[in-house]
């Protein structure tokens, strides 16, 4: 299994820079996500690693090999795409066996036979060597498709097709598995199941995986580490908890989870407490900063709706409920405080009453939960 090290990767398309200053240091066996909005350069980064695009500058290493001069099939990367890119006229088994068999034919210097093989496959005359048969059946069992081996891929559901694509990549025993938005075409429920399947297989095989997604929840729930990208650059790399509790920019605070982001001015700083003026309110934070103009970041679950006057918070505000959204085990409130609108998440247990629009509430936030950036 290989590590992936990318240094100062840059990619221009006809003079337009779409990627720059990309540095990645992905460890052997790591599940690494590239997360960012559509058009930020995730797929291009992936295609450079896989060898489908050549970088304008920068280096890419897989394991200890500099792969710059290597063709895609020599890089030992398995790829899974959003569109499954399966052969619709072949059955599941043949789809998974195809590349493996070609690799074997090439190895034995039987390159000319590749064309013959493809023709035989089309006329269903192909007989696979025992080792290939076993390898394919093993991997199909792994992705729970044994019973579907003889079906055409066009007869399968989306989730099953995606598992064929995964099996096809894994059967080659790649050093690195590259997955580009593999779950985007699946419905919500299946997406959740497939997250678990992919994570289980990745952990079992300990295969270095780069997973591209625009869905922060997907990245947060699956990845060991995440690189957040925007406009062709990496803004921050960290574990899901790093990114959530210590976002370096307001963009990340908003993109990774939900945040209340309020512009303010620092008016005092003593004893480890920074006081910030927001409109006609003041708020205290434990964040130390040299800046005067700051963005105040508060996560929705860190604002408490106080019951009665007994709670003693360093930051307490009056607010008016605008909307309540019931989400099962939480209720999300939109609350107006001064001229600002805050999002507040409260845990909900059966029997709790839900506050109504127009109701006045008192809110408390501890200074430890107020981040300044
Ligand atoms: P993402 O996968 O994050 O949505 P992409 O890597 O596909 O983003 O695209 C990044 C940018 O590069 C986009 O502005 C896109 O239009 C541009 N781009 C991608 N491929 C090409 C190409 N072959 N030629 C020109 N521009 C491209
Ligand atoms: Mg893409």
């Amino acid at each position: 299994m290989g590590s992936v090290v990318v240094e100062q990767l840059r990619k221009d398309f006809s003079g337009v820079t779409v990627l720059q200053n990309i540095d990645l240091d992905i460890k052997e066996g790591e599940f690494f996500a590239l997360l960012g909005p559509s058009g930020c350069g995730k797929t291009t980064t992936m295609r450079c690693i896989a060898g489908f695009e050549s970088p304008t500058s920068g280096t890419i290493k897989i394991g200890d090999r500099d792969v710059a001069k290597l063709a895609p099939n020599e890089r030992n990367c398995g790829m899974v795409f959003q569109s499954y890119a399966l052969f619709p006229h072949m059955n599941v088994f043949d789809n998974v066996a195809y590349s493996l068999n070609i690799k074997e034919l090439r190895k034995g210097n039987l390159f000319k036979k590749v064309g013959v093989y493809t023709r035989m496959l089309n006329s269903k005359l192909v007989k696979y060597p025992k080792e290939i048969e076993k390898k394919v059946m093993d991997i199909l069992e792994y992705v729970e498709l044994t019973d579907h081996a003889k079906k055409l891929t066009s007869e399968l559901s989306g989730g099953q097709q995606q598992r064929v694509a995964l099996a096809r990549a894994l059967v080659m025993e790649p050093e690195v598995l590259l997955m580009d938005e593999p779950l985007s075409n699946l419905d919500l429920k299946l997406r959740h199941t497939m997250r678990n399947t992919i994570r289980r297989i990745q952990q079992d095989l300990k295969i270095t995986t780069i997973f591209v997604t625009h869905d922060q929840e997907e990245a947060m729930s699956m990845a060991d580490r995440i690189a957040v990208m925007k406009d062709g650059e990496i803004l921050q790399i960290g574990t899901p908890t790093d990114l959530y509790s210590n976002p370096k920019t307001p963009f990340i605070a908003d993109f990774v989870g939900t945040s209340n982001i309020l512009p303010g001015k620092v008016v005092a700083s003593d004893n480890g407490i920074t006081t910030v003026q927001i409109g006609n309110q003041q708020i205290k934070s434990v964040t130390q900063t040299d800046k005067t103009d700051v963005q105040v970041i508060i996560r929705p679950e860190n604002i408490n709706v106080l019951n009665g006057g007994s709670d003693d918070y360093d930051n307490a505000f009056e607010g008016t409920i605008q909307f309540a959204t019931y989400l099962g085990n939480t209720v999300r409130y939109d609350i107006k405080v001064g001229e600002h609108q805050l999002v507040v998440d409260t845990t909900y247990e059966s029997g709790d009453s839900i506050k109504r629009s127009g109701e006045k509430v008192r809110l408390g936030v501890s200074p430890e939960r107020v981040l300044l950036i």
Side-chain angles (χ1 to χ4, degrees):
M1 297 298 149
S3 56
V4 178
V5 179
V6 174
E7 281 176 350
Q8 285 300 301
L9 173 66
R10 176 193 171 112
K11 178 67 185 171
D12 298 347
F13 284 114
S14 3
V16 179
T17 302
V18 300
L19 283 181
Q20 59 186 335
N21 303 322
I22 303 293
D23 288 319
L24 295 169
D25 186 356
I26 301 167
K27 296 183 180 52
E28 204 173 311
E30 192 170 28
F31 194 115
F32 193 92
L34 293 178
L35 171 69
S38 175
C40 72
K42 305 178 296 292
T43 295
T44 307
T45 306
M46 199 79 130
R47 288 173 58 82
C48 287
I49 295 170
F52 298 119
E53 298 287 356
S54 49
T56 304
S57 59
T59 57
I60 300 172
K61 277 189 182 170
I62 298 177
D64 45 20
R65 299 176 302 149
D66 181 341
V67 297
K69 300 270 183 316
L70 299 181
N73 67 322
E74 296 168 326
R75 293 192 182 197
N76 210 7
C77 294
M79 289 220 48
V80 179
F81 306 94
Q82 175 178 357
S83 64
Y84 318 116
L86 302 173
F87 301 116
H89 60 289
M90 288 186 201
N91 69 30
V92 169
F93 187 98
D94 291 338
N95 262 277
V96 175
Y98 187 81
S99 299
L100 192 59
N101 212 25
I102 284 184
K103 190 168 150 191
E104 289 304 310
L105 292 172
R106 280 193 174 137
K107 238 194 237 165
N109 228 352
L110 298 167
F111 191 65
K112 270 181 283 176
K113 290 199 176 166
V114 170
V116 178
Y117 162 59
T118 309
R119 282 197 295 282
M120 285 169 74
L121 198 57
N122 286 340
S123 52
K124 311 228 180 314
L125 288 172
V126 71
K127 276 250 183 297
Y128 293 99
K130 277 262 173 323
E131 316 83 82
I132 288 190
E133 193 131 326
K134 175 161 183 352
K135 250 187 173 167
V136 172
M137 286 317 286
D138 283 352
I139 207 89
L140 286 180
E141 190 181 338
Y142 213 62
V143 297
E144 295 166 8
L145 284 173
T146 310
D147 297 341
H148 301 284
K150 295 293 169 204
K151 283 193 186 157
L152 292 179
T153 55
S154 50
E155 296 172 310
L156 302 180
S157 72
Q160 289 167 336
Q161 290 189 38
Q162 195 52 292
R163 279 184 281 149
V164 178
L166 186 60
R168 192 181 53 176
L170 291 173
V171 80
M172 302 299 285
E173 299 177 45
E175 258 182 274
V176 180
L177 181 63
L178 304 174
M179 308 183 91
D180 192 351
E181 310 249 6
L183 309 182
S184 300
N185 282 349
L186 305 177
D187 66 47
L188 187 66
K189 198 147 188 187
L190 201 51
R191 214 147 66 209
H192 283 196
T193 317
M194 275 302 283
R195 275 186 201 169
N196 295 342
T197 306
I198 290 172
R199 195 65 180 130
R200 167 179 62 84
I201 291 173
Q202 191 271 336
Q203 284 180 345
D204 266 12
L205 301 178
K206 299 186 175 53
I207 182 168
T208 312
T209 301
I210 309 181
F211 186 97
V212 160
T213 180
H214 64 272
D215 179 338
Q216 58 95 12
E217 195 188 301
E218 205 164 278
M220 296 283 278
S221 64
M222 296 177 79
D224 297 316
R225 281 192 307 152
I226 301 171
V228 182
M229 294 183 69
K230 183 174 183 257
D231 300 335
E233 296 195 78
I234 293 175
L235 299 183
Q236 187 173 357
I237 298 179
T239 62
T241 48
D242 278 346
L243 293 175
Y244 193 80
S245 50
N246 265 315
K248 290 238 163 21
T249 70
F251 172 81
I252 296 169
D254 202 37
F255 197 72
V256 178
T258 304
S259 285
N260 294 289
I261 303 177
L262 308 162
K265 275 198 191 305
V266 174
V267 290
S269 178
D270 49 12
N271 276 334
I273 297 286
T274 307
T275 306
V276 179
Q277 189 81 34
I278 307 172
N280 55 8
Q281 315 252 11
Q282 290 198 339
I283 190 162
K284 292 183 165 56
S285 165
V286 295
T287 309
Q288 304 295 299
T289 179
D290 300 331
K291 293 187 191 166
T292 313
D293 291 306
V294 290
Q295 302 288 333
V296 178
I297 312 283
I298 313 171
R299 295 289 183 185
E301 68 276 19
N302 291 331
I303 302 179
N304 299 291
V305 178
L306 307 179
N307 294 308
S310 60
D311 305 274
D312 189 19
Y313 274 89
D314 286 335
N315 295 308
F317 309 98
E318 298 291 329
T320 309
I321 304 278
Q322 307 288 101
F323 307 106
T325 311
Y326 172 66
L327 298 165
N329 54 359
T330 55
V331 178
R332 170 162 287 190
Y333 291 108
D334 288 85
I335 302 180
K336 199 161 191 316
V337 177
E339 71 266 39
H340 294 288
Q341 192 85 22
L342 299 183
V343 179
V344 176
D345 285 343
T346 57
T347 53
Y348 179 86
E349 282 171 40
S350 88
D352 285 357
S353 65
I354 296 177
K355 300 193 183 302
R356 294 164 204 272
S357 303
E359 220 175 298
K360 297 259 187 277
V361 286
R362 242 163 56 78
L363 304 174
V365 187
S366 113
E368 281 81 25
R369 303 290 182 209
V370 178
L371 181 70
L372 307 178
I373 52 184

